[in-house]
Amino acid sequence: MRMGLAIDASCDLPQAFIKEHDIAVMPIAVHVDKDTFKDDRNPAEIQRFLDQKMGSRSHSASTEPCSVEDVQKLFLEKLVLEKDCVFCLTITATRSPINDHVIKASFAVLKHYRDVRDQTTMPGPFLMRVIDTRTLFAGAAPAIVEATRLFKSGEAPAAIRERLTYVANNSYGYMLPRDLYYLRARAKTKGDRSVGLFSAVMGSALDIKPLLRGYRGETAPVGKVRGFEHGAETLFDYVCKRVHAGLLVPVVCISYGGDLADVPKLPGFEALKAACEECKVELMIAPMSITGMVNVGEGALTVGFAAEEHVVEF
């Protein structure tokens, strides 16, 4: 059985990994004033967004996740002809409509795929499974990486779905924002009251930043740090402890809304790298999606891993 993966563009993974595993990306259109960006994890498009310094004015941007019709088109014109089973993984359904769009599209895909496959004499059924990773950005990486491992091991679709659901329910996505004013302005634009004006003003004045966690569909602050550099060190140190405690999937993914060359320079990165090497855990560094930068601001840092449920220790 030919297995395949499709992800939404907000799932942060290195482009090399996406190409290596032939992962289809469901794009998001981002409109900033008169500029439009196709967010499909193309490094050149991400760099174009950064080069044009959109960060200061993109809090008012509008985003258009891949529509139901576009998902249907991707599958019926391409994926049902190339694969026999495709798992679609998305960021949490509580923060994006893409999961709902994919589920709705799946009904039409499963209804019409036989007509498409019959025209090319492709025998057998086609399966489409949708998994909500229940987290954000780099937090989606563990389930996606695990899917590729399960494909290689020849696991059956039912077993893969069960395992990915378990990993998703135990995936953690932590975020350290750089600009609280931006985060508050974006939240206000979207009608999200999770970042109040008082908190933004006081946080910016004192350089206090929240550490946010996306976990099981909920996004909430779990700690506070003074300064971005100290925050990165605190976050990396915490992830080191989780790596040593044991992960469900041997991977840690870091995503960053800026020049990736800056990531290894952050305090605590070398210690995290050493911990991953010691525990044989792959450390990935990926650009944050354009959609991610629009929603949380340029320069934000996210880290994702999957582990058994535990008490947050910040």
Side-chain angles (χ1 to χ4, degrees), residues 165-205:
T165 299
Y166 178 74
V167 171
N169 284 336
N170 291 280
S171 290
Y172 295 78
Y174 287 91
M175 184 185 75
L176 175 66
R178 191 177 287 273
D179 186 342
L180 281 185
Y181 279 122
Y182 180 96
L183 192 63
R184 192 260 176 186
R186 181 61 182 171
K188 183 179 180 181
T189 298
K190 298 184 67 176
D192 185 343
R193 297 181 178 273
S194 59
V195 183
L197 176 60
F198 180 77
S199 296
V201 171
M202 290 301 297
S204 296

Side-chain angles (χ1 to χ4, degrees), residues 13-314:
L13 284 162
Q15 182 65 17
F17 182 89
I18 292 172
K19 292 184 67 175
E20 177 187 354
H21 296 282
D22 191 27
I23 299 174
V25 177
M26 295 175 282
I28 300 169
V30 178
H31 306 287
V32 185
D33 297 335
K34 296 181 180 180
D35 293 292
T36 297
F37 298 86
K38 182 181 180 182
D39 188 6
D40 59 359
R41 303 215 56 81
N42 183 329
E45 190 73 343
I46 294 174
Q47 191 60 51
R48 184 169 77 91
F49 178 85
L50 292 170
D51 289 344
Q52 294 190 22
K53 302 186 183 304
M54 291 291 179
S56 61
R57 55 192 177 97
S58 60
H59 61 77
S60 60
S62 62
T63 58
E64 296 178 31
C66 202
S67 67
V68 174
E69 293 74 22
D70 287 339
V71 175
Q72 292 174 8
K73 184 176 180 180
L74 171 64
F75 274 80
L76 293 175
E77 294 185 4
K78 176 177 171 62
L79 295 180
V80 302
L81 299 174
E82 298 176 353
K83 310 293 182 182
D84 299 311
C85 177
V86 174
F87 281 82
C88 300
L89 286 87
T90 73
I91 64 166
T92 179
T94 59
R95 286 283 174 174
S96 169
I98 184 63
N99 184 267
D100 183 58
H101 290 185
V102 176
I103 290 173
K104 289 178 178 177
S106 69
F107 298 125
V109 172
L110 296 176
K111 179 179 180 180
H112 297 294
Y113 80 83
R114 289 189 182 276
D115 295 336
V116 176
R117 285 167 73 97
D118 286 347
Q119 294 176 15
T120 59
T121 66
M122 294 182 66
F126 174 80
L127 302 177
M128 179 178 175
R129 300 291 183 261
V130 184
I131 304 289
D132 178 357
T133 65
R134 307 189 71 188
T135 185
L136 296 167
F137 309 140
I144 298 168
V145 171
E146 182 70 352
T148 64
R149 184 191 70 79
L150 294 169
F151 291 174
K152 289 181 180 178
S153 66
E155 294 287 344
I160 294 173
R161 184 176 191 174
E162 181 179 0
R163 173 63 178 172
L164 294 187
T165 299
Y166 178 74
V167 171
N169 284 336
N170 291 280
S171 290
Y172 295 78
Y174 287 91
M175 184 185 75
L176 175 66
R178 191 177 287 273
D179 186 342
L180 281 185
Y181 279 122
Y182 180 96
L183 192 63
R184 192 260 176 186
R186 181 61 182 171
K188 183 179 180 181
T189 298
K190 298 184 67 176
D192 185 343
R193 297 181 178 273
S194 59
V195 183
L197 176 60
F198 180 77
S199 296
V201 171
M202 290 301 297
S204 296
L206 300 173
D207 202 19
I208 294 174
K209 303 182 186 302
L211 281 169
L212 306 171
R213 183 184 72 174
Y215 174 64
R216 294 184 178 175
E218 295 186 2
T219 306
V222 291
K224 292 182 180 180
V225 292
R226 177 162 290 184
F228 186 85
E229 302 279 317
H230 176 245
E233 186 174 27
T234 300
L235 181 55
F236 288 157
D237 179 65
Y238 172 72
V239 179
C240 279
K241 294 175 182 177
R242 301 321 315 169
V243 168
H244 284 296
L247 302 179
L248 293 175
V249 181
V251 65
V252 169
C253 185
I254 298 171
S255 75
Y256 181 65
D259 186 348
L260 295 188
D262 293 338
V263 175
K265 302 174 186 176
L266 291 171
F269 175 84
E270 288 299 326
L272 175 57
K273 180 180 178 182
C276 288
E277 290 176 350
E278 179 184 347
C279 298
K280 295 180 171 55
V281 168
E282 182 177 6
L283 180 59
M284 293 180 166
I285 303 177
M288 181 176 285
S289 67
I290 296 173
T291 304
M293 286 188 278
V294 161
N295 281 302
V296 302
E298 283 188 35
L301 177 75
T302 76
V303 182
F305 60 86
E308 297 288 359
E309 187 173 359
H310 57 273
V311 177
V312 180
E313 301 171 339
F314 287 119

